Amino acid sequence: MIVFVPGYDPATNANLTVARDLLSAEDLALLAGRATHANLIEALRTQATEALFAMSHGHPDFLCAQGGDPALSAHDAAITGRRSVYAFACHTASRLGSRMSQSGVTWW
């Protein structure tokens, strides 16, 4: 599983604390400063069958990376593929999840 959790404010730092306790040795951890758009896209390309578990802030059109920058948007649907995505990120289900599911992603 790809675990994507930035840590740049009180809410995301709390998520980061929880995520560190959930990680297994088999997970690809993109945490804190490694939780960037570029690293996530690379992981999605190279870990084609792995589910994505993300805990971050979110907007209707994107999941946030470290610092609040966009990490994943509907433009990335082709890279995301037909995988399961669990996004613990406010507002992402409203548009982003819907758009991703139209491309074959199972969005939780």
Side-chain angles (χ1 to χ4, degrees):
M1 179 166 48
I2 301 165
V3 179
F4 182 87
V5 186
Y8 60 91
D9 65 8
T12 57
N13 283 323
N15 288 343
L16 191 55
T17 299
V18 170
R20 285 186 172 128
D21 287 339
L22 297 174
L23 287 173
S24 74
E26 293 82 31
D27 293 330
L28 173 58
L30 300 176
L31 307 178
R34 294 192 65 227
T36 65
H37 172 76
N39 286 343
L40 180 56
I41 297 306
E42 179 65 20
L44 293 170
R45 284 187 174 131
T46 60
Q47 307 292 317
T49 61
E50 295 293 321
L52 170 61
F53 176 79
M55 297 172 74
S56 185
H57 290 299
H59 293 273
D61 297 310
F62 63 90
L63 174 74
C64 294
Q66 184 70 9
D69 297 325
L72 187 68
S73 71
H75 300 289
D76 302 312
I79 297 163
T80 306
R82 302 183 65 82
R83 75 180 76 228
S84 289
V85 175
Y86 176 83
F88 184 75
C90 293
H91 308 291
T92 57
S94 63
R95 282 194 298 259
L96 178 58
S98 175
R99 290 179 181 154
M100 288 294 211
S101 68
Q102 292 170 1
S103 297
V105 172
T106 301
W107 191 269
W108 300 86

